[in-house]
Amino acid sequence: MKRIAVRTGWMVAAMLAASALIVFWQGAWTAVAFINTAFLLSLVPLSAGGLLFVYERGFFSGFAYGFRRLRRSSARVERYLEEAAAEHESDELLGPRRFAITYPLLFSGLLLFLAMIAAGYAVQ
């Protein structure tokens, strides 16, 4: 848990630094420009972390299994060969992979996303 918190903190700091560099590079340094840039940058890790989270929970495993079964039943000759080979294989679903970066991406994106929404309302 501590490792996730440290990685999340580093990712938030990196996104804030990148936001500052982007706003500085554009030349119009205002609080609103910084908040908008940080908000948009927070959507990238939030989306990537969300996709990894969904993948890790096995949402796509059912689709992969269904397509594998559909492909097996597409041709009779292939089906007979596959059935002969499948006697030695099991049809159990393989577990999805786990990624160490999923929760830091998800938490850093969510934290910065919510912070920039609050900062946007505070600036108005």
Side-chain angles (χ1 to χ4, degrees):
M1 192 60 143
K2 182 180 177 185
R3 181 178 288 168
I4 292 173
V6 170
R7 287 181 182 174
T8 300
W10 279 109
M11 291 183 76
V12 167
M15 284 188 290
L16 288 174
S19 299
L21 287 174
I22 290 170
V23 172
F24 180 73
W25 180 63
Q26 289 178 345
W29 181 262
T30 63
V32 174
F34 177 75
I35 290 169
N36 289 339
T37 305
F39 175 80
L40 290 175
L41 278 180
S42 72
L43 294 176
V44 174
L46 183 61
S47 299
L51 285 173
L52 286 174
F53 182 77
V54 167
Y55 175 72
E56 282 182 359
R57 296 296 176 213
F59 178 75
F60 300 110
S61 299
F63 293 114
Y65 179 74
F67 281 115
R68 200 167 46 236
R69 298 280 295 179
L70 179 67
R71 191 186 70 210
R72 285 184 185 167
S73 66
S74 63
R76 286 186 179 176
V77 174
E78 289 180 19
R79 183 173 35 158
Y80 292 130
L81 291 174
E82 297 261 342
E83 285 176 4
E87 291 177 1
H88 301 291
E89 295 179 12
S90 65
D91 281 340
E92 295 179 17
L93 297 174
L94 298 175
R97 296 181 60 190
R98 302 271 184 222
F99 300 100
I101 196 71
T102 301
Y103 289 110
L105 277 174
L106 192 61
F107 293 151
S108 64
L110 186 63
L111 179 69
L112 197 57
F113 178 80
L114 295 175
M116 291 302 116
I117 287 176
Y121 281 116
V123 168
Q124 285 182 349

